[in-house]
Structures are given as C-alpha cells and as structure tokens.
Amino acid sequence: MLLLLRHGDAADGSPDAERPLTAKGRDQARAAGVALRTLGVAVDACLSSPKVRALDTARIVCEELRVEARAEQRLAGGNFDAEALAADLGETVLLVGHDPDFTNALRHLTGARAKMKKGGLAAVDEGRLVALLRPAELAAIATGR
C-alpha cells in the first residue's frame, strides 16, 4: 500500500524550502500519526520532501509509527514516480510532500480527481484509492470522536 500525506499547515514566507509548520500543522501531523497507529497501519518506510514543512510533518508522524523519516529530493516539487520511489521499500510506504504533486500523483495512480488537503492522507492499493482522509477526519480518528 502507498500512503500519500500532504504536509501540514505551514507559515508564509521565503525561502519556500525553509517554511516551518504552524502550530496547526504540527497538530495535523500528530493527528495523522496517531490515526494511522490507531487504525493499525504499520509503515515499513517513510520518504519525505526535504523542505522543512514536509520533513517536520514526516518526523512527527513517524514518531507515532516508530519508523524513521528519510528525506528524498524527488519529493521536493515537480513530477515524480510514486511507485518507483516506493519500490522495494516494503509493503506499506508513506510519502510526505506537496501539492499539486500529490493530487497529480493520485490521479496518475488511480484516476481519482480528488484534491489533497494540507495534512490530508490518501491510501492507494494496487491502483485503487482505498482511503482519502481530510485533516478533520484524521483528528477524529486520533481522538476517538
């Protein structure tokens, strides 16, 4: 299974690569990690854009999942091949990055015309979109509400 997680809410400013998560973005990341753990999702590997907001999102999520987040330059922006990135990394791979890249990847992988929200998660299995969760839904799962 391939999991696509768009980074959490980030501060405005430049340079773009150094924009940090806001408090809201850190909460979104924490909720995503807790929700995945609550759902029993075991992640074999996590690759993240090296941009601060994405890598911090990945690190917060991965604390909950007990896996190490690794920076991957190909997720920094522009088109990428999600399946090629995830190949040979395990059964379930988490990619953390940006839009419009993730929306485009989701369309390429599944044909779905869905927009990835900041802090949102998509799960793709064998070319099928099996879950698309907004940050509010991840928070509800994380808190049991």
Side-chain angles (χ1 to χ4, degrees), residues 68-127:
E68 184 179 339
R70 295 187 344 229
E72 171 52 60
Q73 186 61 39
R74 290 175 284 181
L75 291 170
N79 291 331
F80 64 92
D81 184 336
E83 292 171 313
L85 280 176
D88 302 322
L89 291 178
E91 196 170 306
T92 303
V93 177
L94 173 63
L95 301 180
V96 181
H98 312 277
D99 231 25
D101 304 337
F102 275 21
T103 293
N104 293 338
L106 193 56
R107 182 173 298 133
H108 172 76
L109 291 167
T110 68
R113 294 191 178 272
K115 182 165 174 44
M116 295 286 298
K117 300 283 187 188
K118 287 180 186 169
L121 177 78
V124 177
D125 191 24
E126 297 181 6

Side-chain angles (χ1 to χ4, degrees), residues 13-33:
S14 65
D16 180 66
E18 296 177 17
R19 292 174 43 218
L21 290 173
T22 62
K24 177 181 177 179
R26 288 189 298 277
D27 289 345
Q28 289 170 330
R30 197 167 296 104

